Short mmCIF file of all heavy atoms in Angstrom, two decimals:
data_model
loop_
_atom_site.label_atom_id
_atom_site.label_comp_id
_atom_site.label_asym_id
_atom_site.label_seq_id
_atom_site.Cartn_x
_atom_site.Cartn_y
_atom_site.Cartn_z
N GLN O 25 11.04 -37.60 -19.41
CA GLN O 25 10.22 -38.49 -20.23
C GLN O 25 9.36 -39.36 -19.33
O GLN O 25 9.85 -39.99 -18.41
CB GLN O 25 11.09 -39.40 -21.12
CG GLN O 25 12.00 -38.67 -22.06
CD GLN O 25 13.41 -38.55 -21.51
OE1 GLN O 25 13.62 -38.39 -20.33
NE2 GLN O 25 14.39 -38.60 -22.40
N ASN O 26 8.06 -39.39 -19.61
CA ASN O 26 7.10 -40.22 -18.90
C ASN O 26 6.02 -40.62 -19.87
O ASN O 26 5.46 -39.78 -20.56
CB ASN O 26 6.47 -39.48 -17.72
CG ASN O 26 7.30 -39.57 -16.46
OD1 ASN O 26 7.31 -40.59 -15.79
ND2 ASN O 26 8.03 -38.51 -16.15
N GLY O 27 5.72 -41.92 -19.93
CA GLY O 27 4.74 -42.41 -20.89
C GLY O 27 5.45 -42.96 -22.11
O GLY O 27 6.61 -43.38 -22.05
N TYR O 28 4.77 -42.92 -23.25
CA TYR O 28 5.32 -43.49 -24.48
C TYR O 28 6.12 -42.45 -25.25
O TYR O 28 5.70 -41.30 -25.37
CB TYR O 28 4.19 -44.02 -25.36
CG TYR O 28 4.69 -44.79 -26.54
CD1 TYR O 28 5.01 -46.13 -26.42
CD2 TYR O 28 4.89 -44.17 -27.77
CE1 TYR O 28 5.50 -46.85 -27.50
CE2 TYR O 28 5.37 -44.88 -28.85
CZ TYR O 28 5.67 -46.21 -28.71
OH TYR O 28 6.16 -46.92 -29.78
N GLY O 29 7.27 -42.87 -25.79
CA GLY O 29 8.06 -41.94 -26.58
C GLY O 29 9.21 -42.63 -27.29
O GLY O 29 9.47 -43.82 -27.10
N LYS O 30 9.89 -41.86 -28.09
CA LYS O 30 11.02 -42.36 -28.88
C LYS O 30 12.20 -41.41 -28.69
O LYS O 30 12.03 -40.19 -28.73
CB LYS O 30 10.64 -42.41 -30.36
CG LYS O 30 11.73 -42.91 -31.26
CD LYS O 30 11.22 -42.98 -32.70
CE LYS O 30 12.28 -43.49 -33.65
NZ LYS O 30 11.77 -43.55 -35.03
N MET O 31 13.39 -42.01 -28.48
CA MET O 31 14.60 -41.20 -28.35
C MET O 31 15.67 -41.77 -29.26
O MET O 31 15.87 -42.98 -29.33
CB MET O 31 15.11 -41.20 -26.91
CG MET O 31 16.41 -40.43 -26.75
SD MET O 31 16.90 -40.29 -25.02
CE MET O 31 16.55 -38.57 -24.79
N THR O 32 16.35 -40.87 -29.96
CA THR O 32 17.48 -41.25 -30.80
C THR O 32 18.73 -40.58 -30.25
O THR O 32 18.75 -39.37 -30.05
CB THR O 32 17.24 -40.79 -32.26
OG1 THR O 32 16.02 -41.37 -32.73
CG2 THR O 32 18.39 -41.21 -33.16
N TRP O 33 19.76 -41.39 -29.97
CA TRP O 33 21.01 -40.87 -29.46
C TRP O 33 21.92 -40.44 -30.60
O TRP O 33 21.75 -40.88 -31.74
CB TRP O 33 21.72 -41.94 -28.61
CG TRP O 33 21.13 -42.06 -27.23
CD1 TRP O 33 21.57 -41.46 -26.10
CD2 TRP O 33 19.99 -42.83 -26.84
NE1 TRP O 33 20.78 -41.81 -25.02
CE2 TRP O 33 19.80 -42.65 -25.46
CE3 TRP O 33 19.09 -43.65 -27.53
CZ2 TRP O 33 18.76 -43.26 -24.76
CZ3 TRP O 33 18.06 -44.26 -26.83
CH2 TRP O 33 17.91 -44.07 -25.46
N LEU O 34 22.90 -39.61 -30.32
CA LEU O 34 23.82 -39.12 -31.34
C LEU O 34 24.59 -40.24 -32.03
O LEU O 34 24.95 -40.13 -33.19
CB LEU O 34 24.80 -38.12 -30.73
CG LEU O 34 24.20 -36.79 -30.29
CD1 LEU O 34 25.25 -35.92 -29.61
CD2 LEU O 34 23.58 -36.05 -31.47
N ASP O 35 24.84 -41.35 -31.30
CA ASP O 35 25.58 -42.46 -31.92
C ASP O 35 24.71 -43.32 -32.82
O ASP O 35 25.18 -44.29 -33.40
CB ASP O 35 26.25 -43.33 -30.85
CG ASP O 35 25.25 -44.14 -30.01
OD1 ASP O 35 24.02 -44.05 -30.23
OD2 ASP O 35 25.71 -44.87 -29.12
N GLY O 36 23.42 -43.00 -32.94
CA GLY O 36 22.51 -43.74 -33.81
C GLY O 36 21.61 -44.72 -33.10
O GLY O 36 20.73 -45.31 -33.70
N GLY O 37 21.83 -44.93 -31.79
CA GLY O 37 20.96 -45.81 -31.02
C GLY O 37 19.56 -45.22 -30.93
O GLY O 37 19.39 -44.00 -30.87
N VAL O 38 18.54 -46.10 -30.93
CA VAL O 38 17.15 -45.65 -30.87
C VAL O 38 16.38 -46.51 -29.86
O VAL O 38 16.47 -47.74 -29.90
CB VAL O 38 16.46 -45.77 -32.24
CG1 VAL O 38 14.99 -45.36 -32.15
CG2 VAL O 38 17.17 -44.95 -33.28
N TYR O 39 15.65 -45.85 -28.97
CA TYR O 39 14.73 -46.54 -28.06
C TYR O 39 13.34 -46.01 -28.34
O TYR O 39 13.13 -44.80 -28.40
CB TYR O 39 15.08 -46.30 -26.60
CG TYR O 39 14.04 -46.88 -25.66
CD1 TYR O 39 14.03 -48.24 -25.36
CD2 TYR O 39 13.06 -46.08 -25.10
CE1 TYR O 39 13.07 -48.78 -24.52
CE2 TYR O 39 12.10 -46.61 -24.25
CZ TYR O 39 12.10 -47.95 -23.97
OH TYR O 39 11.14 -48.49 -23.14
N GLU O 40 12.39 -46.94 -28.48
CA GLU O 40 10.98 -46.55 -28.63
C GLU O 40 10.17 -47.42 -27.69
O GLU O 40 10.23 -48.65 -27.75
CB GLU O 40 10.51 -46.73 -30.06
CG GLU O 40 9.10 -46.22 -30.28
CD GLU O 40 8.70 -46.12 -31.74
OE1 GLU O 40 9.50 -46.50 -32.60
OE2 GLU O 40 7.57 -45.67 -31.99
N GLY O 41 9.45 -46.76 -26.79
CA GLY O 41 8.66 -47.51 -25.83
C GLY O 41 8.26 -46.64 -24.66
O GLY O 41 8.15 -45.42 -24.78
N ASN O 42 8.08 -47.29 -23.53
CA ASN O 42 7.61 -46.60 -22.34
C ASN O 42 8.75 -46.08 -21.48
O ASN O 42 9.82 -46.70 -21.40
CB ASN O 42 6.73 -47.56 -21.52
CG ASN O 42 5.45 -47.86 -22.24
OD1 ASN O 42 4.64 -46.97 -22.49
ND2 ASN O 42 5.26 -49.11 -22.61
N TRP O 43 8.48 -44.94 -20.87
CA TRP O 43 9.45 -44.25 -20.01
C TRP O 43 8.80 -43.95 -18.67
O TRP O 43 7.58 -43.74 -18.58
CB TRP O 43 9.84 -42.90 -20.62
CG TRP O 43 10.53 -43.00 -21.94
CD1 TRP O 43 9.95 -43.17 -23.16
CD2 TRP O 43 11.93 -42.91 -22.17
NE1 TRP O 43 10.91 -43.19 -24.13
CE2 TRP O 43 12.14 -43.03 -23.56
CE3 TRP O 43 13.03 -42.74 -21.35
CZ2 TRP O 43 13.40 -42.99 -24.13
CZ3 TRP O 43 14.28 -42.69 -21.93
CH2 TRP O 43 14.46 -42.82 -23.30
N LYS O 44 9.63 -43.88 -17.64
CA LYS O 44 9.17 -43.42 -16.33
C LYS O 44 10.32 -42.65 -15.70
O LYS O 44 11.44 -43.17 -15.58
CB LYS O 44 8.77 -44.60 -15.44
CG LYS O 44 8.23 -44.18 -14.09
CD LYS O 44 7.77 -45.38 -13.29
CE LYS O 44 7.24 -44.93 -11.94
NZ LYS O 44 6.84 -46.10 -11.14
N ASN O 45 10.06 -41.42 -15.33
CA ASN O 45 11.06 -40.56 -14.69
C ASN O 45 12.36 -40.49 -15.48
O ASN O 45 13.46 -40.52 -14.92
CB ASN O 45 11.33 -41.01 -13.25
CG ASN O 45 10.09 -40.91 -12.39
OD1 ASN O 45 9.30 -40.00 -12.54
ND2 ASN O 45 9.91 -41.87 -11.50
N GLY O 46 12.26 -40.44 -16.80
CA GLY O 46 13.43 -40.23 -17.65
C GLY O 46 14.21 -41.47 -18.01
O GLY O 46 15.26 -41.36 -18.64
N THR O 47 13.75 -42.67 -17.60
CA THR O 47 14.44 -43.90 -17.96
C THR O 47 13.47 -44.88 -18.61
O THR O 47 12.26 -44.80 -18.40
CB THR O 47 15.10 -44.59 -16.75
OG1 THR O 47 14.09 -44.96 -15.81
CG2 THR O 47 16.13 -43.70 -16.09
N GLN O 48 14.02 -45.81 -19.38
CA GLN O 48 13.21 -46.84 -20.00
C GLN O 48 12.56 -47.67 -18.90
O GLN O 48 13.24 -48.15 -18.01
CB GLN O 48 14.05 -47.76 -20.90
CG GLN O 48 14.71 -47.05 -22.05
CD GLN O 48 16.17 -46.73 -21.78
OE1 GLN O 48 16.56 -46.37 -20.69
NE2 GLN O 48 17.00 -46.86 -22.81
N ASN O 49 11.23 -47.80 -18.98
CA ASN O 49 10.50 -48.51 -17.95
C ASN O 49 9.20 -49.02 -18.54
O ASN O 49 8.42 -48.25 -19.07
CB ASN O 49 10.19 -47.57 -16.78
CG ASN O 49 10.14 -48.28 -15.46
OD1 ASN O 49 11.15 -48.79 -15.00
ND2 ASN O 49 8.97 -48.34 -14.88
N GLY O 50 8.99 -50.33 -18.50
CA GLY O 50 7.83 -50.95 -19.15
C GLY O 50 8.29 -51.64 -20.42
O GLY O 50 9.42 -52.13 -20.49
N TYR O 51 7.44 -51.67 -21.43
CA TYR O 51 7.77 -52.37 -22.67
C TYR O 51 8.40 -51.41 -23.67
O TYR O 51 7.93 -50.29 -23.85
CB TYR O 51 6.51 -52.99 -23.28
CG TYR O 51 6.82 -53.94 -24.39
CD1 TYR O 51 7.13 -55.26 -24.13
CD2 TYR O 51 6.82 -53.50 -25.71
CE1 TYR O 51 7.43 -56.15 -25.15
CE2 TYR O 51 7.12 -54.39 -26.74
CZ TYR O 51 7.42 -55.71 -26.45
OH TYR O 51 7.72 -56.57 -27.47
N GLY O 52 9.47 -51.88 -24.34
CA GLY O 52 10.09 -51.04 -25.35
C GLY O 52 11.10 -51.80 -26.19
O GLY O 52 11.44 -52.95 -25.90
N LYS O 53 11.57 -51.13 -27.22
CA LYS O 53 12.54 -51.70 -28.15
C LYS O 53 13.73 -50.76 -28.26
O LYS O 53 13.58 -49.58 -28.54
CB LYS O 53 11.90 -51.89 -29.52
CG LYS O 53 12.84 -52.48 -30.56
CD LYS O 53 12.11 -52.65 -31.88
CE LYS O 53 13.02 -53.23 -32.95
NZ LYS O 53 12.30 -53.38 -34.23
N MET O 54 14.92 -51.34 -28.06
CA MET O 54 16.17 -50.58 -28.18
C MET O 54 16.99 -51.17 -29.31
O MET O 54 17.22 -52.38 -29.35
CB MET O 54 16.95 -50.66 -26.87
CG MET O 54 18.29 -49.96 -26.90
SD MET O 54 18.10 -48.18 -26.89
CE MET O 54 19.77 -47.67 -27.21
N THR O 55 17.40 -50.31 -30.22
CA THR O 55 18.31 -50.70 -31.30
C THR O 55 19.60 -49.90 -31.11
O THR O 55 19.58 -48.68 -31.16
CB THR O 55 17.69 -50.39 -32.68
OG1 THR O 55 16.43 -51.05 -32.78
CG2 THR O 55 18.61 -50.85 -33.80
N TRP O 56 20.68 -50.63 -30.83
CA TRP O 56 21.98 -49.97 -30.64
C TRP O 56 22.63 -49.71 -31.99
O TRP O 56 22.31 -50.35 -32.99
CB TRP O 56 22.89 -50.84 -29.77
CG TRP O 56 22.52 -50.81 -28.32
CD1 TRP O 56 22.99 -49.94 -27.38
CD2 TRP O 56 21.61 -51.67 -27.64
NE1 TRP O 56 22.43 -50.22 -26.15
CE2 TRP O 56 21.58 -51.28 -26.28
CE3 TRP O 56 20.80 -52.73 -28.03
CZ2 TRP O 56 20.78 -51.91 -25.34
CZ3 TRP O 56 20.01 -53.37 -27.09
CH2 TRP O 56 20.01 -52.96 -25.77
N SER O 57 23.58 -48.81 -32.02
CA SER O 57 24.25 -48.42 -33.27
C SER O 57 25.04 -49.57 -33.88
O SER O 57 25.29 -49.58 -35.08
CB SER O 57 25.16 -47.22 -33.03
OG SER O 57 26.14 -47.53 -32.05
N ASP O 58 25.40 -50.58 -33.06
CA ASP O 58 26.14 -51.73 -33.60
C ASP O 58 25.23 -52.80 -34.20
O ASP O 58 25.69 -53.85 -34.65
CB ASP O 58 27.03 -52.35 -32.53
CG ASP O 58 26.26 -52.87 -31.33
OD1 ASP O 58 25.01 -52.88 -31.35
OD2 ASP O 58 26.91 -53.27 -30.35
N GLY O 59 23.91 -52.56 -34.19
CA GLY O 59 22.96 -53.50 -34.78
C GLY O 59 22.30 -54.44 -33.80
O GLY O 59 21.38 -55.17 -34.17
N ASN O 60 22.72 -54.45 -32.54
CA ASN O 60 22.05 -55.26 -31.53
C ASN O 60 20.66 -54.69 -31.25
O ASN O 60 20.49 -53.47 -31.22
CB ASN O 60 22.84 -55.30 -30.23
CG ASN O 60 24.20 -55.97 -30.36
OD1 ASN O 60 24.41 -56.76 -31.28
ND2 ASN O 60 25.11 -55.64 -29.48
N VAL O 61 19.67 -55.58 -31.05
CA VAL O 61 18.30 -55.15 -30.81
C VAL O 61 17.72 -55.93 -29.64
O VAL O 61 17.78 -57.16 -29.62
CB VAL O 61 17.41 -55.38 -32.05
CG1 VAL O 61 15.96 -54.96 -31.77
CG2 VAL O 61 17.95 -54.64 -33.25
N TYR O 62 17.16 -55.21 -28.68
CA TYR O 62 16.43 -55.82 -27.56
C TYR O 62 15.01 -55.31 -27.59
O TYR O 62 14.77 -54.10 -27.70
CB TYR O 62 17.07 -55.47 -26.22
CG TYR O 62 16.23 -55.94 -25.04
CD1 TYR O 62 16.28 -57.25 -24.61
CD2 TYR O 62 15.37 -55.07 -24.39
CE1 TYR O 62 15.50 -57.69 -23.55
CE2 TYR O 62 14.59 -55.50 -23.33
CZ TYR O 62 14.65 -56.80 -22.92
OH TYR O 62 13.87 -57.24 -21.87
N GLU O 63 14.05 -56.24 -27.48
CA GLU O 63 12.65 -55.86 -27.39
C GLU O 63 12.04 -56.63 -26.24
O GLU O 63 12.12 -57.86 -26.18
CB GLU O 63 11.91 -56.17 -28.69
CG GLU O 63 10.49 -55.65 -28.68
CD GLU O 63 9.82 -55.68 -30.04
OE1 GLU O 63 10.45 -56.10 -31.01
OE2 GLU O 63 8.65 -55.27 -30.11
N GLY O 64 11.48 -55.90 -25.30
CA GLY O 64 10.88 -56.54 -24.14
C GLY O 64 10.69 -55.55 -23.01
O GLY O 64 10.54 -54.35 -23.23
#
């Protein structure tokens, strides 16, 4: 993953934002399956 994209994990977690070399890098939003949300 490189650039902008969205990934949904099997446990229900979702990340939408920027990626670099397969990891979250830059600005993005992560919603974990337990309801915690980080955006930044």
Side-chain angles (χ1 to χ4, degrees):
Q25 301 97 325
N26 274 283
Y28 188 84
K30 180 178 181 180
M31 177 173 252
T32 302
W33 282 264
L34 291 176
D35 70 0
V38 177
Y39 173 80
E40 186 168 3
N42 292 297
W43 297 81
K44 183 177 180 182
N45 298 323
T47 63
Q48 298 100 321
N49 211 66
Y51 191 85
K53 180 179 180 180
M54 178 72 189
T55 304
W56 284 270
S57 59
D58 61 7
N60 296 338
V61 178
Y62 173 81
E63 186 168 0

